[in-house]
Amino acid sequence: YNDYDKIAASVIAKGTGNWYNTFTVNRGTEDGVAVNMNVISDGGLVGIVTEVGKNWSTVRSIIDDDNNVSAMLLDSSENCIVTGSLSLIESGKLALSELRTDAKVSTGERVVTSNISDKYLPGILIGYVDSVQDDSNLLTKTGYIIPAVNFQSVNTVLIIKQLKETADQ
């Protein structure tokens, strides 16, 4: 992600529980941080900035129950949705859905943010395909991915100081 201007931030607080589904970092408006900036760590997508103060920001991670990410399988360019789930992350996975039934998917294939996302910059690694199966309606496929980030120990993150709106211009 060398093309993006980034700023390092340390986690200074987190929500209750074992997982980093929401947390606070030590960078804010004084550092140029704004709502909807993407947050990465360990080479993968952590989440998005949802609130900003003078010297702090709140991040909602992709494992949060309220988070959906427009995604794409890197090898086939097939679009899909990655959905956060605190109950699912207990098994180390995220949900994958809305994949076409004729999509060719390989276990271990990289899943990245898609260019059709309204908030996430394109091409940021989310994780790797774990399994995929046909839905009961036989119209789409669903499955699971293993996230690239370990959401049990997020200590330092990089905030990409570019919003999706400016990336498209």
Side-chain angles (χ1 to χ4, degrees):
Y1 311 112
N2 292 333
D3 294 343
Y4 296 128
D5 183 23
K6 299 172 287 300
I7 185 169
S10 296
V11 175
I12 56 173
K14 72 177 194 75
T16 59
N18 296 332
W19 302 99
Y20 285 79
N21 56 311
T22 58
F23 56 90
T24 304
V25 296
N26 65 343
R27 300 292 184 172
T29 54
E30 281 190 344
D31 304 295
V33 177
V35 170
N36 289 334
M37 287 185 170
N38 295 197
V39 179
I40 60 175
S41 182
D42 298 329
L45 181 65
V46 171
I48 197 161
V49 174
T50 57
E51 190 178 359
V52 182
K54 184 177 175 182
N55 56 11
W56 58 270
S57 298
T58 300
V59 176
R60 184 181 71 223
S61 73
I62 61 172
I63 66 170
D64 191 77
D65 291 333
D66 295 327
N67 211 355
N68 292 320
V69 180
S70 295
M72 176 178 78
L73 301 176
L74 194 59
D75 294 342
S76 63
S77 298
E78 292 285 345
N79 289 315
C80 58
I81 301 291
V82 173
T83 306
S85 168
L86 288 177
S87 59
L88 192 56
I89 199 65
E90 291 285 337
S91 62
K93 298 177 184 179
L94 295 169
L96 178 76
S97 63
E98 298 185 30
L99 193 59
R100 293 181 322 135
T101 54
D102 61 347
K104 304 287 188 239
V105 184
S106 303
T107 300
E109 185 172 352
R110 291 178 289 178
V111 180
V112 299
T113 52
S114 76
N115 55 354
I116 62 173
S117 174
D118 59 342
K119 293 182 182 174
Y120 293 99
L121 298 163
I124 299 174
L125 180 65
I126 300 170
Y128 306 92
V129 173
D130 180 58
S131 62
V132 174
Q133 61 278 339
D134 288 329
D135 278 348
S136 58
N137 62 16
L138 299 178
L139 298 175
T140 58
K141 289 182 179 182
T142 59
Y144 302 101
I145 69 167
I146 307 296
V149 175
N150 177 357
F151 286 98
Q152 282 188 301
S153 61
V154 178
N155 299 312
T156 305
V157 297
L158 294 174
I159 300 170
I160 299 175
K161 294 176 65 175
Q162 182 174 356
L163 293 170
K164 173 67 186 244
E165 298 82 45
T166 59
D168 290 339
Q169 296 174 352

